[in-house]
Amino acid sequence: MLNGTTAEIKERSALRINPAKTCQPIGAMYAALGIHGCMPHSHGSQGCCSYHRSHLTRHYKDPVIATTSSFTEGSSVFGGMANLNQALENICTIYKPEIVAIHTTCLSEVIGDDIPTIVKKAIEEGKVPSTIKVIHANTPSFVGSHITGFSNMVTAMVKYLCEKTGEPINQVNVIPGFIDPADMREIKRLAKEMGINTLMFPDTSDVLDSPQTGVYEMYPKGGATVAQITSAGDSIGTVALGHFASHPPAIALEEKCGTPSAQLELPIGISATDQLIDALRTFAAVEVPASIVQERGRLLDTISDIGQYLYGKRVAIFGDPDQVIALTQFLVELDMKPVYVITGSQGNHFENRVGEILKEQVPDAKIKQNADLFELHQWIKQEGVDLLMGNTYGKYIARAENIPFVRFGFPILDRIGHRVFPIVAYQGAQRLLDKIIDAFFDKKDREVAEELIELVQ
Ligand code: SF4
């Protein structure tokens, strides 16, 4: 399909072809699902909501609930107040959530609907019972990406819900970033292993990876409860994972409640996981147990076993900025060479941080924010790579150029492992290594001359 891509690059300033991102409300909807008993509400047309739900469903392989203001031509002209008013009444009477998390879309943002005023009116008219909370985030898709939307919704949780009572609670907040439920579960497992009481929000484990029991539950048992999120202001501290997705809500919590935060990168690879363990250990004043030291040691053992196959390999990476930054760091730890590193999101921190990571080992790497897969493919055509890492959309480039491809990030629409197996922390790094080695050796086994095929690598 992409065989027509040319190596010659023409200057483009107002066109993106296959951007490495998707739209803000998807991130907001995903974050909202990490609150227990929450109904995400999309204030816009039905098409937006259907797309966002189906995109999340295809990645998580679980049903994604959300309601919509169902804009028609009339609401597009006169505004969506009547629709949202009616929607809130219907949601509260039919679906009975504990909280409604409203996000906007391009259309309602262009109209300029004032969500807090509409919600206030609905509450005054008795359409929202006092037992049901309503929060909102502005998520116009003509700026930012799904990561911005995620961050905006988590910041809204802080602004609407978190409180400081003055009675400290022995718990550490973890704002996990836009990662899969399996990754959230793994971070909680590590903290539990250290004997630390954590409050993760949002938390989509047991929501979007819930077991098949034969009984449909609109609100699965997972998710941080409203009461738990409210208590975050009394926690010892906050560990925020990812500059783009998690640092803004951590800063908002610090400003609102004075809760100190450790602003880290996603724990992908060795050094980033070390920093997570260290931050948890410091906040909770505990020792790191031997079991975690052994997990780390097993990862180092794997790396020393296979390092010779990874050394100097040229890699192209694309995806969400926090994930790509963390993966770049991990690949450098493996002595690989991330030569092309892009994200579709905007923010100078991306280019600065990746540049800093690569300045010694790959000083001539091409690093770009607000980038697209078309240009990445052109770079690859000019000078090839040994490995491509990114979401499912990369498979077309991998096929056109016959490059080993490791699926990584969001969305993964054509595989299932991400649903169960984490990529964060020491065990997640083992899985990433396994996938990288499989991709290299599968290609070699397929293509090497018969007389050179090796049984033992
Ligand atoms: S980009 Fe805007 S119009 Fe398109 S699906 Fe997203 S919110 Fe809706």
Side-chain angles (χ1 to χ4, degrees):
M1 283 177 73
L2 296 183
N3 291 346
T5 305
T6 58
E8 186 198 353
I9 296 177
K10 297 213 164 114
E11 189 57 35
R12 282 183 284 131
S13 61
L15 173 68
R16 291 286 167 273
I17 307 169
N18 296 330
K21 66 169 183 176
T22 183
C23 73
Q24 275 214 49
I26 288 186
M29 192 180 277
Y30 181 57
L33 290 162
I35 309 177
H36 178 73
C38 181
M39 178 60 81
H41 180 79
S42 167
H43 187 54
S45 59
Q46 290 180 44
C48 296
C49 186
S50 301
Y51 162 56
H52 305 149
R53 287 180 61 202
S54 65
H55 211 52
L56 290 168
T57 298
R58 286 170 179 163
H59 176 85
Y60 295 107
K61 326 289 182 202
D62 251 19
V64 167
I65 57 162
T67 49
T68 168
S69 294
S70 294
F71 276 30
T72 55
E73 291 85 342
S75 17
S76 306
V77 175
F78 299 113
M81 179 191 272
N83 292 47
L84 183 52
N85 224 302
Q86 181 70 58
L88 284 169
E89 185 176 11
N90 291 347
I91 293 164
C92 295
T93 49
I94 300 169
Y95 301 120
K96 299 182 173 52
E98 292 178 24
I99 178 169
V100 183
I102 303 169
H103 58 263
T104 53
T105 58
C106 295
L107 182 52
S108 56
E109 285 290 336
V110 170
I111 297 167
D113 276 345
D114 178 358
I115 306 297
T117 302
I118 300 174
V119 171
K120 187 166 172 269
K121 186 167 179 289
I123 292 171
E124 283 166 3
E125 290 173 0
K127 297 194 169 142
V128 181
S130 58
T131 50
I132 299 178
K133 296 266 183 201
V134 182
I135 66 173
H136 100 284
N138 290 93
T139 51
S141 257
F142 34 82
V143 290
S145 69
H146 56 299
I147 299 303
T148 323
F150 180 94
S151 184
N152 287 346
M153 183 53 83
V154 184
T155 303
M157 293 175 200
V158 170
K159 290 186 173 161
Y160 275 94
L161 303 176
C162 294
E163 285 173 12
K164 187 178 182 70
T165 65
E167 291 285 322
I169 301 176
N170 186 22
Q171 67 183 10
V172 179
N173 305 323
V174 178
I175 304 180
F178 196 132
I179 55 176
D180 288 336
D183 295 317
M184 296 185 186
R185 195 182 291 285
E186 175 65 4
I187 292 168
K188 288 193 294 183
R189 182 191 67 81
L190 276 180
K192 195 171 174 193
E193 191 96 1
M194 296 170 75
I196 299 171
N197 186 23
T198 51
L199 162 58
M200 180 173 282
F201 73 97
D203 180 1
T204 56
S205 60
D206 283 324
V207 177
L208 288 172
D209 63 351
S210 54
Q212 172 61 271
T213 61
V215 179
Y216 174 69
E217 286 178 290
M218 179 165 280
Y219 305 110
K221 78 176 170 90
T225 64
V226 170
Q228 286 171 330
I229 299 174
T230 304
S231 77
D234 289 326
S235 298
I236 308 166
T238 303
V239 175
L241 304 174
H243 174 90
F244 289 88
S246 299
H247 293 183
I251 292 166
L253 184 60
E254 222 172 88
E255 286 170 355
K256 184 177 179 187
C257 301
T259 317
S261 64
Q263 292 163 29
L264 310 178
E265 287 170 355
L266 282 179
I268 293 171
I270 306 162
S271 61
T273 306
D274 289 351
Q275 283 165 23
L276 168 65
I277 299 288
D278 195 45
L280 288 170
R281 178 190 68 78
T282 306
F283 274 134
V286 296
E287 296 288 319
V288 178
S291 57
I292 291 183
V293 177
Q294 283 163 8
E295 275 182 38
R296 187 180 190 280
R298 280 194 293 273
L299 173 60
L300 293 179
D301 188 47
T302 304
I303 293 170
S304 64
D305 287 344
I306 62 167
Q308 70 269 35
Y309 302 110
L310 307 175
Y311 180 79
K313 287 281 192 288
R314 292 167 54 85
V315 191
I317 314 171
F318 68 94
D320 299 339
D322 293 334
Q323 301 220 355
V324 170
I325 287 171
L327 180 63
T328 303
Q329 175 68 56
F330 183 36
L331 296 190
V332 166
E333 288 166 4
L334 297 172
D335 281 330
M336 300 177 84
K337 290 179 73 177
V339 289
Y340 308 138
V341 185
I342 69 160
T343 184
S345 296
Q346 276 173 294
N348 293 337
H349 177 81
F350 178 80
E351 290 172 7
N352 294 339
R353 179 65 187 126
V354 175
E356 186 181 78
I357 294 169
L358 294 177
K359 69 174 187 281
E360 301 291 334
Q361 268 163 276
V362 200
D364 53 350
K366 290 185 172 174
I367 306 158
K368 193 168 179 181
Q369 58 171 309
N370 199 16
D372 63 26
L373 295 187
F374 185 78
E375 189 168 8
L376 178 66
H377 192 180
Q378 290 184 306
W379 292 348
I380 291 171
K381 282 218 166 272
Q382 289 180 358
E383 194 174 357
V385 292
D386 301 301
L387 177 69
L388 175 65
M389 297 185 77
N391 63 41
T392 287
Y393 291 101
K395 73 194 275 182
Y396 300 107
I397 298 175
R399 181 182 161 102
E401 305 304 325
N402 190 23
I403 310 166
F405 176 43
V406 170
R407 284 162 182 77
F408 170 87
F410 175 89
I412 296 175
L413 307 171
D414 58 347
R415 295 292 189 274
I416 55 168
H418 60 281
R419 200 176 175 273
V420 180
F421 304 110
I423 57 166
V424 299
Y426 305 123
Q427 300 222 25
Q430 296 270 15
R431 175 161 186 261
L432 275 175
L433 279 170
D434 188 41
K435 283 163 66 98
I436 292 169
I437 282 293
D438 276 357
F440 282 144
F441 286 172
D442 283 349
K443 182 170 192 281
K444 189 177 169 203
D445 286 345
R446 245 185 349 258
E447 297 181 350
V448 73
E450 227 168 68
E451 64 276 15
L452 295 177
I453 198 158
E454 303 267 11
L455 179 66
V456 180
Q457 297 287 0

